[in-house]
Amino acid sequence: MKDPVQFLRHHGLSVTAQRLAVLRAVSRRSHSTAEVIAEEVRSEINAVSRQAVYNALGTLAEKGLIRRIQPAGSPALYEDRVNDNHHHLICRTCGKTVDVDCAKGRAPCLTAADNAGFEIDEAEVIYWGTCPKCLAKSARSRA
Amino acid sequence: MKDPVQFLRHHGLSVTAQRLAVLRAVSRRSHSTAEVIAEEVRSEINAVSRQAVYNALGTLAEKGLIRRIQPAGSPALYEDRVNDNHHHLICRTCGKTVDVDCAKGRAPCLTAADNAGFEIDEAEVIYWGTCPKCLAKSARSRA
DNA sequence: ATCCTTTATTTGACTGAGTCCATAAATTGA
DNA sequence: TCAATTTATGGACTCAGTCAAATAAAGGAT
């Protein structure tokens, strides 16, 4: 099921140039916004509408081929690493986003101390901090 | 330092009717949006501008008197429970948000498997799921 | 290969949440 | 009490994303 064409068919979705290009764009530039992906797609196929990009990102995320993350204060980001319970580390200064594996292995992340009767299906973890580059920069400016 | 007036003074902030009312509104209705808080404030003091509400929420959050959370697909929410490393459980269906204590006690939440050279200052955890009410509703409609 | 139905894409208007900026008002501290 | 500073107001504006109607492309049956 790694072939995107198969994947789309398998989910009853038509195979379109836009969807395939969006998929490739997400793989090429992980953690980028719809806007960036749209540009990337345009450099590959001649043109896409913004709406088509949003549609593609939306349905692909829904079907589980890509993942959408929506960090505070940033437009949504998309990545193709999926189904592996990993988390993100985001720089407060420059927004740089990197993957981190789940600290606790499999999926005990899903465990909350008290679930308040909720049925929990995902634990989203975002680590906020400062990336090495921005750390260096601020050290320099403080000197 | 529990008196908000003292708190504001202590941080070199002027004590204004708007700020105090915003503070009270956040305490009264935890996990509400700027919009809801603005209405709440208006019911107390006669009028506030949207901007004043955003300003107050912003500076109060910055000084650590309130906390801002920004869940995916929702406007920012504010709460007055602060400095206790708790997390949130959000219903995907109705958006209901409840507090959960950190599963691991103190603050080991701050530990990522690999920090990639970042200096981490916060681990934000959001548990996504379905609240009891929405679970019941969907069980009924499936019957 | 062609036609027909379904599914996607385009275009352009529109919304919600939040910010910017210049002016007016309130707060502070001398 | 008065100037200096800090906030608040009002209104325009931006950004990210959605809606909806019309058009075009895919997929299936013939």
Side-chain angles (χ1 to χ4, degrees):
Chain A
M1 192 62 62
K2 280 190 181 152
D3 179 14
V5 173
Q6 295 309 310
F7 184 94
L8 293 173
R9 289 250 160 74
H10 188 257
H11 283 88
L13 299 171
S14 319
V15 176
T16 68
Q18 289 86 341
R19 291 220 256 243
L20 294 174
V22 164
L23 216 31
R24 278 189 297 267
V26 172
S27 302
R28 240 176 291 128
R29 328 186 47 148
S30 212
H31 306 136
S32 42
T33 63
E35 194 50 45
V36 168
I37 291 176
E39 280 164 34
E40 189 73 11
V41 167
R42 282 189 197 107
S43 75
E44 208 188 318
I45 61 179
N46 205 2
V48 232
S49 62
R50 181 189 0 173
Q51 189 62 46
V53 173
Y54 278 107
N55 285 349
L57 290 170
T59 48
L60 292 172
E62 197 175 308
K63 298 301 185 181
L65 235 201
I66 63 177
R67 179 137 98 91
R68 171 195 288 148
I69 58 179
Q70 285 168 266
S74 152
L77 307 178
Y78 297 85
E79 64 184 352
D80 69 342
R81 204 178 138 188
V82 101
N83 289 330
D84 69 345
N85 187 233
H86 76 277
H87 302 306
H88 296 97
L89 182 39
I90 309 180
C91 176
R92 288 191 195 274
T93 308
C94 68
K96 185 173 161 58
T97 301
V98 309
D99 292 335
V100 276
D101 292 316
C102 180
K104 315 290 175 183
R106 292 292 312 125
C109 283
L110 272 180
T111 314
D114 167 16
N115 69 7
F118 279 54
E119 193 170 290
I120 298 176
D121 61 66
E122 185 190 349
E124 178 185 13
V125 181
I126 297 184
Y127 296 97
W128 293 94
T130 312
C131 75
K133 201 172 291 181
C134 289
L135 277 174
K137 212 170 290 177
S138 79
R140 231 176 296 130
S141 71
R142 260 186 281 104
Chain B
M1 192 62 62
K2 282 195 179 149
D3 179 13
V5 173
Q6 295 310 309
F7 184 93
L8 292 174
R9 288 249 161 74
H10 188 256
H11 283 89
L13 299 171
S14 325
V15 177
T16 68
Q18 290 85 342
R19 291 220 256 243
L20 294 174
V22 164
L23 216 32
R24 278 189 298 266
V26 171
S27 302
R28 240 177 291 128
R29 329 187 45 150
S30 212
H31 307 136
S32 42
T33 63
E35 193 50 45
V36 167
I37 291 173
E39 279 165 33
E40 190 73 9
V41 167
R42 280 188 198 107
S43 75
E44 208 187 318
I45 63 181
N46 206 2
V48 233
S49 63
R50 181 187 0 171
Q51 189 62 46
V53 173
Y54 279 106
N55 285 350
L57 290 170
T59 48
L60 292 172
E62 197 175 307
K63 299 300 185 184
L65 234 203
I66 62 178
R67 179 136 97 93
R68 170 194 289 148
I69 58 178
Q70 286 168 267
S74 152
L77 307 178
Y78 298 85
E79 64 184 352
D80 69 342
R81 205 180 139 188
V82 102
N83 288 331
D84 69 344
N85 187 233
H86 76 277
H87 303 306
H88 296 96
L89 183 39
I90 309 180
C91 176
R92 288 191 195 275
T93 308
C94 69
K96 185 173 163 57
T97 301
V98 309
D99 292 336
V100 276
D101 292 318
C102 181
K104 316 289 177 186
R106 290 295 311 130
C109 282
L110 271 180
T111 313
D114 168 16
N115 70 7
F118 279 53
E119 194 170 290
I120 298 175
D121 61 67
E122 185 190 349
E124 177 185 12
V125 182
I126 297 183
Y127 296 97
W128 293 94
T130 312
C131 75
K133 201 173 290 183
C134 289
L135 276 175
K137 213 171 290 177
S138 77
R140 232 177 293 127
S141 71
R142 260 187 280 102

